[in-house]
Amino acid sequence: MAERARNGKVTVVGAGFYGSTTALRLAEYDVFETVVLTDIVEGRPEGLALDINQSRPIEGFETRVVGVGGGSYEGTEGSDVVVITAGLPRKPGMSRMDLIETNAGIVRSVAENVARTSPDAVVIVVSNPLDEMTALAQLATGFPKARVMGQAGMLDTARFTNNVAEELGVPVGSVRTLTLGSHGDTMVPVPSRCTVDGKPLADVLAADRIAHLVDRTRNGGAEVVALLKTGSAYYAPSAAAARMARAVIEDSGAVMPVCAWVDGEYGITGVYLGVEAEIGRAGVRRVVEGDLSDSELAGLREAAEAVRAKQADVADL
């Protein structure tokens, strides 16, 4: 069998549950040369890297994982993709916005280090509150806006899809859903683009049940946090971030719902917002405008204004 080509380096900042699971997923894809896991804690990322590397003979992948603790960025230089997971997770009863001041300081510091060590990287932000931290990371790196994006829509869409599949007792593969807008209260589900076995969602599910599932999706993270009691979701979120990083390194052009800079699309200008975008080596190649109903478009514009106000505040944090 021909040896498969691996290329590039991806750095995951933050070796908590989210970061370490993301690093594992990225390594198991076996498409990167190197996965670097960094953290301010000494020893934790090194230990996790050693553990993941020892799984290679069993799982059959060659990507090498490197751990760098103590807040160092040595070994991350020249990364092609950087996933920023650093920051505090939510506790039960907390909203994503409750984290803004603490996580702003962390994300700003990380972004400045990334700009210094990997000036050509595509940055994927997953720290909460997501839309605001993505805007902050772009300001702090000074990178072109296309090279900084946030992970939210992939996760929210996955939650929505899973909710619909469970409700109807059908395979998740037969369900297509879409959510746009912000990660949180102004999430905009797009029922007009949701199908089950190709049939419109509205044809197979009563309106009140759809509304219930939308609400459950919107509160999907809080539902997990309330059950876990300590920490927040990481299996589904890490899957979403890893898929985005893979689309970048493979220059795939995959269209994914992500938090991207919107400049004119849908009549919305100058804000980071959850939209569908074509992802490749340069980050967001373009925002993909889909057909929306009048109410969905109104919801998206409303989300844009809510997020815009908060994103203006992060510049000072």
Side-chain angles (χ1 to χ4, degrees):
M1 214 174 98
E3 172 66 3
R4 71 180 295 166
R6 290 172 203 84
N7 70 83
K9 180 194 290 187
V10 55
T11 290
V12 180
V13 182
F17 287 127
Y18 192 141
S20 56
T21 311
T22 302
L24 174 66
R25 292 187 190 282
L26 291 168
E28 287 185 342
Y29 285 155
D30 208 19
V31 297
F32 289 94
E33 193 71 44
T34 313
V35 175
V36 184
L37 183 60
T38 73
D39 199 275
I40 54 169
V41 178
E42 189 76 62
R44 181 176 169 84
E46 291 91 337
L48 290 165
L50 180 59
D51 193 10
I52 293 172
N53 284 330
Q54 290 169 351
S55 77
R56 295 186 300 170
I58 302 170
E59 286 301 312
F61 64 94
E62 295 289 345
T63 295
R64 194 161 154 271
V65 183
V66 178
V68 184
S72 170
Y73 284 78
E74 203 173 315
T76 69
E77 297 89 351
S79 293
D80 300 282
V81 190
V82 177
V83 182
I84 301 179
T85 77
L88 298 185
R90 286 197 279 172
K91 293 187 171 70
M94 283 179 91
S95 78
R96 291 184 177 94
M97 291 311 294
D98 290 337
L99 299 170
I100 191 161
E101 293 208 10
T102 307
N103 284 356
I106 296 169
V107 170
R108 180 179 286 282
S109 161
V110 169
E112 287 167 353
N113 278 302
V114 169
R116 182 172 55 79
T117 50
S118 298
D120 299 318
V122 171
V123 176
I124 298 169
V125 180
V126 300
S127 311
N128 272 316
L130 189 277
D131 306 274
E132 291 73 21
M133 293 302 107
T134 304
L136 178 62
Q138 189 278 322
L139 285 169
T141 54
F143 285 2
K145 294 182 173 76
R147 282 208 277 125
V148 181
M149 57 183 148
Q151 185 288 108
M154 286 280 285
L155 170 61
D156 295 329
T157 296
R159 284 174 170 162
F160 196 11
T161 296
N162 188 60
N163 290 343
V164 171
E166 300 261 298
E167 172 92 1
L168 293 170
V170 298
V172 291
S174 67
V175 180
R176 293 276 174 278
T177 69
L178 179 62
T179 67
L180 303 174
S182 83
H183 191 45
D185 300 340
T186 46
M187 184 187 298
V188 182
V190 187
S192 72
R193 297 272 300 281
C194 300
T195 58
V196 180
D197 278 323
K199 296 189 280 291
L201 184 59
D203 291 2
V204 293
L205 211 50
D208 64 325
R209 290 314 295 164
I210 295 176
H212 166 72
L213 296 180
V214 164
D215 196 51
R216 188 176 178 197
T217 302
R218 195 171 277 132
N219 297 305
E223 185 179 353
V224 174
V225 169
L227 289 165
L228 290 177
K229 313 270 190 303
T230 55
S232 52
Y234 55 93
Y235 287 121
S238 66
R243 286 285 159 177
M244 288 167 64
R246 183 174 185 164
V248 171
I249 204 71
E250 293 183 336
D251 198 25
S252 72
V255 174
M256 301 174 162
V258 302
C259 177
W261 184 254
V262 178
D263 215 15
E265 296 86 3
Y266 298 111
I268 297 166
T269 302
V271 69
Y272 267 101
L273 191 65
V275 288
E276 286 181 291
E278 193 179 296
I279 308 298
R281 204 61 196 70
V284 174
R285 289 183 188 170
R286 66 186 184 97
V287 171
V288 177
E289 276 185 272
D291 290 330
L292 300 181
S293 70
D294 289 347
S295 68
E296 289 161 355
L297 183 58
L300 187 61
R301 288 181 175 156
E302 199 176 304
E305 293 320 306
V307 170
R308 186 193 306 280
K310 295 189 190 107
Q311 284 178 11
D313 295 341
V314 297
D316 306 320
L317 290 177

